[in-house]
Each structure stands twice: as structure tokens, then as C-alpha cells.
Amino acid sequence: MCSVILPVFLLLAVPAQAAKVKLDPSHWGHPEGENCVSCHTKSSPGLAEQWRGSAHHQAGVNCMDCHQADPADADAITHEGQVISVIVSPKDCGRCHQTELDEQSGSVHAEAHAIISERVPALAHNLTGAAMQAAGCDQCHGSAVKVRGDGSLDPATWPNSGIGRINPDGSKGSCSSCHGRHAFSKAQAREPDACVRCHSGPDSPDKEVFEASKHGMIYKAQHEAMNLDADTWVAGQDYTAAPTCVTCHMGAAGKVPSTHDVGMRNAWSLNTPVSVQQYLVVFEDGDKLELPADQKPPKRGTELTKADGTTGKVKVVAGPDRRRKIMSMVCLECHGKNFTESFMDQFDAVVALYNGKFGEPAAAIMQGLYEQGLLTPLPFDEPLEFTYWELWHDEGARARHGAAMASPNHAWWEGMYLVGRNFYSRFLPQARAVAGDAAGELIDPVLAASDHHRWQSSPDAANPILGWSPLPALEPGPSEALGDADQSGKAPQARVESQVAEPQTAAPMTEAAPASEGSGND
């Protein structure tokens, strides 16, 4: 139990504000820095002007303070008589910003490259081509930057500021992904636009979801009151107008401190075929790993394989309930306890619905088809694999993110509606076609295992949503009861058809009918 509670205690024990730089100012203000500024003012004036407006310039930190390198560094080059590195890595930033480096190291951002490394060949290479990895995947997830024999950086891996970039010095991440170089603005990093460069599109549709949510609507209307340039930025104290991505996932709020570990507060995985609640494992070296909560949590000192394939010893473990508690404490700065708990219940219910009705059955069907050799192991060489991928990776992720971030349109029309439509109209028919005679063994039992799909067993249940429903039954007339023609001389069915086909003619008005009780123009 202590191993689960400890991370929360640590989180609550530090001040709810950005860490102060502890490095003595005598360590910056490199004498060659003025020469850099003088030259770059002519060759790249925009870059120099960004630096002049930065907090670095105000503090006396210049180009050489950040770019200076040791001749033994893998990416060290000689430039205008000085040994520098083009890349300023998190390790370099950590000389002054140690707390932020410690929080960022091992976070889901820092491991963004490792997380997708196994997917890249099938997506970027097979479906399109290797050029797309550098221009697409790596620009968000980061690349493993390679140094060529002449000391220059391989253009297949540079430039990029992907959040999980693996730098030549071995550090992971890119501070400039959020704090754009060379201004390194706090305000910029607090803006939703700092996140939506990567968190948009099918698998992480947070830009669209946030903008369509009540939070996004209020943020746009109250942007001028957000106090984005403040030294401290505590929700409920320094600003109250609206939340941003940073507010919920990183920002300080009440007793909750700010952090550069953006995944600390996420109780669910939302970008997987089936969502699971997660433990957050913190290793002794600061790296982190998420494990499904249906497994037994590892004990302190246990050795586990980390996301990058290396081995680490477990220091502490935070359970999904603790992670949810931290996120809820942020919500409570602006919402009541009942409101917050009820919202979380609604979110959890949507995730459970997706899992039980679509995610788990689809995964079980696909697993059966692979095991029986009816699908090849090669990804995306069969239409069903595209359908399944889009079902959970695109539509399913959008539905779950919509519920998590309070966008009803994305939870429903852009999300779960598309999941349901494509599950029934594309996925199941394609899966049955692939299964052939084995459909009764591989598909039907999966669908029959729950009540979610029972509605399809009643094809005669009418509903006018598609513009048609059976005609209502008519009360039989006196002669119809005897099986004869009615007084009009028509058989009962003919009378029904006549009512449908022949418009009724209004009777001529002879005199005004008396007003009924209670009528009038009131």
C-alpha cells in the first residue's frame, strides 16, 4: 500500500509553482556569446530577435551558454572557432532546469519515440515510404538523431523537435517542442496551440475535441484573462477564466503542483484497441512505465523491462485511483465535488461501453482469425485490417477522448456513432467473409457472449428513424368482424389502401361550432 500512496505524497509535498533555477549566474554569460549575437543578427535576424525578447536574454544567458559543447561529444562541431552542438538537448537545459528535466525524463513524452518504433515500418514505410517517417512520424514522436562521419547531422533524422527525440548525448526529448526556440516562452507552452501541433488528427484528436468542448469555448471567449505570462500559474489563484491542456495535465492547482510529466494524471489508456486502467511505475533512475491495472502491481525493488528495452528497478507505483484523484483535484478548483465525480462516472461509462460492445469483441474476432491462419500476420495487406485499425485507432479513440474532454459531438457523432456504424456495416461483414464457414465458430459466440448485440435478433422491431414504419392496425368495422365487405362495399385491405391513396375532402362549413370549454386566445 505504501508504494501506491507515496507518489501522491511526493506530488503534494512540493510547492505548486515552477522550480527556481539554482545554478549560480556566474555559470552563464559566456564571453563569446556576443560574437554569436552580432553575426546571427545579420545572418538570421529573426532568430536573434526572438532571443532578445526572451527571459534568457533578460537573465544574461546567451547562445554559447546553451550551445557550447565538449570536443568529445558525439555531435560536437567547430563553428567560428568555438566547439558547439547544434542540438540543445534536455540534458543541456537541465544544467539550469534540473527539476523540469527530472520530471520530463521517463515520461510518456520522453518515451514517445520508443512507443511507436515497432509501428513505423508498417505505417510509414510499407503504406507510404521512408521519407514520411522524417516528415511525419518523427516530427511529433521524435527521431533517433544520427551524426554522420563528418560531424554533421543526418538529414533523415534532423531537423526535428519531436517530443521523444533521442539526442546524440543519450537524453530523450525536446524542450523546444513546447517552448519554441529561441524565445522559450512560458506563455507559448501554456497555450493549447503548443500541444495541438501533435495532438490533432485521428489517433489523438485533442485539438478538435478541446475546441468543441465547453472548456475550449470559454477559453476562446476569455483568452485575454488567462494571465499566460505570469511567473506562477496556479489554477484558481493566478487565473480562473478557463482551463487549457496544461491546466489539466501539467499545471498547478490548489495543492497539486505543476509537473513536466504529462501522463501522471491519466488513469485510462485511450489510444489502444481496448482501454485499460493503468499503474504508473516509477523506476529508481526516474524513468516510468505504465502497466495494466488488472495485473498485480510490482513491488519495490522489482526489476522490469522499461519502454526502451532496458531494465530498471521499481521505486514506487501509483495506482489508477490515485492518478484519478490528482486529476479530480484539478477539476475541483472550478467545479463542485458532485459535479466532478459525476463527470468522471459518465466518462468511465463510455469507456466501459466501448470496451464491452466493440473493443473487446473486435479484438477477440481478429485474434481468432489470425490464430486460424485466415489473416496473414503482415499488417494492412487485407481490407479487414484497415477497418479494424480505423475502428479503434481513429473512431474509437475519438469517442473516448470526446468523453474524457467533454465534447458531446466527438463522443457521439464523430466517435461512438462511427464506431457502431462501421462495426456493424463494415467490420462484421468483412470478418464473416474472411471467416467463411468458420464464422459460426469464430464470430457468433463472441457476439452472443453479452447483451450488447441482442438488438439485431429482432429485425421486425420497427422504428421511424429511417423514415418508414408499418401502417398502424385499424379497428375492424361491424361487417369486417363477420368477414364481409364494409358498408362502402370495399374489402378491409382495400379500405386501408383507399385511406392512404385518397386524400380526405373537408366537409363544407355550415355554421360555427360552439367553442369548447377552456378554449380561447389566452
Side-chain angles (χ1 to χ4, degrees), residues 83-254:
V83 178
I84 68 164
S85 170
V86 173
I87 297 176
V88 178
S89 73
K91 184 178 179 180
D92 295 322
C93 298
R95 291 176 59 235
C96 297
H97 302 284
Q98 184 64 50
T99 299
E100 288 80 1
L101 174 63
D102 292 343
E103 293 170 348
Q104 178 267 353
S105 297
S107 69
V108 67
H109 271 174
E111 298 296 343
H113 177 76
I115 288 171
I116 68 157
S117 60
E118 293 183 356
R119 300 182 188 178
V120 169
L123 284 169
H125 295 190
N126 291 357
L127 286 187
T128 55
M132 280 312 305
Q133 179 174 347
C137 313
D138 291 348
Q139 294 304 316
C140 284
H141 287 267
S143 65
V145 180
K146 297 179 181 178
V147 183
R148 298 192 294 191
D150 61 358
S152 63
L153 302 177
D154 186 346
T157 64
W158 178 265
N160 82 78
S161 56
I163 198 70
R165 184 180 70 203
I166 301 177
N167 302 292
D169 64 7
S171 64
K172 300 175 185 177
S174 169
C175 303
S176 64
S177 186
C178 302
H179 301 272
R181 57 179 182 265
H182 287 84
F184 294 103
S185 165
K186 296 190 300 290
Q188 177 189 339
R190 291 165 177 167
E191 289 271 13
D193 285 348
C195 307
V196 302
R197 169 178 172 268
C198 295
H199 289 278
S200 58
D203 65 329
S204 187
D206 304 300
K207 175 184 186 294
E208 306 93 307
V209 175
F210 176 77
E211 290 176 350
S213 72
K214 199 69 172 286
H215 286 165
M217 180 187 75
I218 298 173
Y219 168 79
K220 184 176 182 180
Q222 303 291 337
H223 180 267
E224 297 302 319
M226 291 300 297
N227 200 19
L228 294 168
D229 286 310
D231 288 335
T232 62
W233 205 59
V234 182
Q237 298 178 32
D238 297 315
Y239 68 103
T240 60
T244 69
C245 314
V246 167
T247 303
C248 299
H249 294 279
M250 300 173 64

Side-chain angles (χ1 to χ4, degrees), residues 412-477:
W412 170 233
W413 286 118
E414 301 294 335
M416 202 70 81
Y417 164 74
L418 295 180
V419 174
R421 183 192 72 179
N422 291 337
F423 181 83
Y424 290 114
S425 70
R426 292 176 59 205
F427 177 78
L428 287 181
Q430 290 176 9
R432 291 186 185 280
V434 170
D437 294 339
E441 173 189 352
L442 298 177
I443 298 175
D444 293 343
V446 174
L447 300 179
S450 73
D451 292 335
H452 284 304
H453 312 285
R454 191 179 298 275
W455 65 277
Q456 287 203 313
S457 65
S458 303
D460 295 328
N463 191 300
I465 190 171
L466 296 181
W468 181 90
S469 62
L471 291 170
L474 299 177
E475 293 292 332

Side-chain angles (χ1 to χ4, degrees), residues 180-409:
R181 57 179 182 265
H182 287 84
F184 294 103
S185 165
K186 296 190 300 290
Q188 177 189 339
R190 291 165 177 167
E191 289 271 13
D193 285 348
C195 307
V196 302
R197 169 178 172 268
C198 295
H199 289 278
S200 58
D203 65 329
S204 187
D206 304 300
K207 175 184 186 294
E208 306 93 307
V209 175
F210 176 77
E211 290 176 350
S213 72
K214 199 69 172 286
H215 286 165
M217 180 187 75
I218 298 173
Y219 168 79
K220 184 176 182 180
Q222 303 291 337
H223 180 267
E224 297 302 319
M226 291 300 297
N227 200 19
L228 294 168
D229 286 310
D231 288 335
T232 62
W233 205 59
V234 182
Q237 298 178 32
D238 297 315
Y239 68 103
T240 60
T244 69
C245 314
V246 167
T247 303
C248 299
H249 294 279
M250 300 173 64
K255 295 181 179 180
V256 178
S258 61
T259 177
H260 277 65
D261 182 350
V262 297
M264 178 66 74
R265 304 170 188 177
N266 296 338
W268 284 102
S269 65
L270 299 182
N271 293 74
T272 49
V274 177
S275 285
V276 295
Q277 290 193 321
Q278 306 170 110
Y279 292 113
L280 182 68
V281 179
V282 182
F283 293 97
E284 290 180 352
D285 62 1
D287 284 356
K288 302 177 184 72
L289 179 70
E290 290 184 316
L291 295 177
D294 58 2
Q295 297 181 9
K296 187 176 181 179
K299 295 181 179 179
R300 181 170 184 157
T302 302
E303 289 192 350
L304 293 178
T305 301
K306 298 187 289 187
D308 62 1
T310 61
T311 302
K313 284 189 176 183
V314 175
K315 181 179 180 181
V316 290
V317 179
D321 55 336
R322 296 292 175 177
R323 302 174 79 179
R324 168 61 60 80
K325 181 179 180 180
I326 298 170
M327 180 68 84
S328 297
M329 290 177 69
V330 178
C331 302
L332 290 171
E333 289 300 307
C334 295
H335 299 288
K337 182 178 180 181
N338 181 261
F339 183 102
T340 298
E341 291 178 350
S342 297
F343 173 81
M344 294 298 182
D345 287 345
Q346 291 180 4
F347 166 43
D348 291 346
V350 169
V351 176
L353 172 64
Y354 165 81
N355 281 348
K357 189 167 186 176
F358 304 113
E360 292 167 353
I365 290 170
M366 291 296 289
Q367 183 69 21
L369 295 174
Y370 281 121
E371 289 177 351
Q372 295 299 316
L374 298 171
L375 289 174
T376 68
L378 181 66
F380 303 123
D381 64 332
E382 291 146 316
L384 178 60
E385 291 175 318
F386 281 98
T387 300
Y388 177 59
W389 171 260
E390 293 171 2
L391 189 75
W392 72 262
H393 178 266
D394 296 10
E395 298 143 6
R398 195 156 51 240
R400 288 171 280 176
H401 281 243
M405 296 170 60
S407 173
N409 178 59

